[in-house]
Amino acid sequence: MTGCTFDQEPRLEAASTKLIDLTGSRLPGVLLRDARIDGLLRLADCRSTHSVRLTRTHVTGTADLTGLHVSGAPALHADSLVVERDLLCRDADNDGELLMWRARIGGTLFLEGARIVNAEGATFNGDGIVVDGGLFGSARLPGHTLVSQGVLRLQDARISRCCVLSGAPLNNPAGTAVRAERLHVDGPLALDSAAVEGTVQISGSAIQAPFNFRAHDSTVPVSAPSTPHSQESAATWSAPQAYRRADKSFWTAPTSRARWT
């Protein structure tokens, strides 16, 4: 049912089906809670005036939310969502939170070009999320990055391969722009050239490769140390004070394994 206009939200709660394709449709919300989709879920270029609800939905293929425009509280309600392959949220435009508590993504989570606005709370809420193929909030194309206006949350998240937010505008001037306490990344965490307005909290996180951070604003407080305490392959650092660099240069962990407490 592509390119359709719905007067009421499609309701497929607890449904079991194969491909669902609503590409290019206009909807007053979508209800797919507890559904099982043996194949692809396509909501690309849809426009919804209410929440898209994917709580506990299980997708055995790829979930394509590219260009999805949603206004809601939250915009995407997808806690405990399971996607066995990739979750594509490229170029999505959301006025409201992307709530993905304890979601499990078997492939890669793509957020390049997505815009999420929720100034009073979280933008992407990935507390407890597990991503096996890496999280990408930026691409090689200039300006094609995630834009977050609120709090980007990755507390207790586990991300394999890498977490790339290079050059992303992460804005919450009155508070925390990034909250990633106890984040575990089996690879690099890239925040280089990020245009951050607000604080960045990554205390208690384990990064299994060099961590790169260069703030667009040199006064951004970051809960990571300015210099390593040791050159050992596994180091534990304590950073109770805010971290600042006036020269805007990279801070790179020289070790293959770094842990912040």
Side-chain angles (χ1 to χ4, degrees), residues 33-254:
R33 186 169 50 212
D34 293 308
R36 179 179 175 88
I37 302 166
D38 290 317
L40 303 179
L41 170 62
R42 299 195 65 196
L43 299 175
D45 299 317
C46 288
R47 292 180 176 269
S48 178
T49 55
H50 293 84
S51 297
V52 173
R53 291 177 281 177
L54 303 176
T55 298
R56 296 181 299 278
T57 299
H58 190 143
V59 182
T60 64
T62 293
D64 187 358
L65 278 57
T66 301
L68 175 66
H69 290 232
V70 184
S71 297
L76 177 67
H77 198 162
D79 55 297
S80 301
L81 168 71
V82 175
V83 178
E84 295 187 14
R85 297 179 67 182
D86 296 336
L87 175 57
L88 312 179
C89 296
R90 294 187 177 105
D91 302 314
D93 193 342
N94 298 280
D95 289 323
E97 179 181 3
L98 266 65
L99 197 161
M100 298 188 67
W101 294 336
R102 302 180 302 279
R104 178 64 186 260
I105 312 302
T108 305
L109 173 55
F110 293 98
L111 293 168
E112 305 107 311
R115 174 183 169 273
I116 314 171
V117 178
N118 188 23
E120 301 301 321
T123 52
F124 178 82
N125 192 334
D127 288 358
I129 194 172
V130 177
V131 184
D132 292 339
L135 186 155
F136 290 86
S138 60
R140 294 182 179 180
L141 297 175
H144 197 61
T145 63
L146 167 68
V147 176
S148 170
Q149 298 181 21
V151 185
L152 176 67
R153 295 177 61 101
L154 287 170
Q155 292 192 127
D156 300 297
R158 297 185 64 89
I159 301 174
S160 299
R161 187 182 172 192
C162 60
C163 180
V164 180
L165 297 169
S166 304
L170 308 173
N171 304 321
N172 190 18
T176 301
V178 179
R179 186 183 295 276
E181 293 152 327
R182 299 176 301 281
L183 167 66
H184 188 104
V185 182
D186 292 327
L189 169 62
L191 277 165
D192 50 289
S193 300
V196 180
E197 293 185 31
T199 61
V200 177
Q201 298 180 4
I202 56 172
S203 60
S205 298
I207 314 300
Q208 306 296 333
F211 163 69
N212 293 330
F213 178 79
R214 182 177 62 193
H216 179 74
D217 181 349
S218 61
T219 63
V220 175
V222 182
S223 56
S226 58
T227 57
H229 289 185
S230 72
Q231 300 294 323
E232 299 174 1
S233 59
T236 299
W237 297 323
S238 178
Q241 302 299 323
Y243 155 63
R244 301 185 181 187
R245 285 297 293 268
D247 57 4
K248 300 185 182 180
S249 62
F250 281 103
W251 179 83
T252 304

